[in-house]
Amino acid sequence: HNGYAHVYRKLAGLPPVSTASRRGRDRPSAVIERAIRRMSKPSLALGIVEAASAADSPGVPPVLKSVIETVVRLARSCVQ
């Protein structure tokens, strides 16, 4: 979740922190899948972007940042 577990849990309709031990639905992949099924894709993306832009945000996850930088670099090289 890269610091955004609370966002995915909220979008999935789960409580912020589960008191139960790691049941199947509490696995990160299960929480994300549930959020995807529950929300429209634009709403899910907006929720994550809003969380990333918050003052107390951990920032953009390194893997996502790398992908975005690569896409921007490739797009700029095609414009020439």
Side-chain angles (χ1 to χ4, degrees):
H1 296 279
N2 289 305
Y4 297 99
H6 67 285
V7 177
Y8 285 103
R9 292 187 69 79
K10 177 181 173 187
L11 295 171
L14 297 171
V17 177
S18 178
T19 55
S21 60
R22 290 255 185 218
R23 292 186 200 158
R25 70 178 192 163
D26 287 340
R27 289 187 334 267
S29 61
V31 171
I32 292 170
E33 287 173 18
R34 182 173 171 160
I36 290 170
R37 281 194 311 269
R38 190 169 184 264
M39 304 294 296
S40 69
K41 304 320 175 263
S43 295
L44 182 63
L46 183 60
I48 298 301
V49 168
E50 287 175 345
S53 66
D56 60 345
S57 165
V60 177
V63 173
L64 181 56
K65 183 177 180 179
S66 174
V67 169
I68 292 169
E69 289 170 347
T70 300
V71 169
V72 169
R73 182 177 41 78
L74 291 171
R76 287 182 177 154
S77 69
C78 290
V79 174
Q80 300 173 359

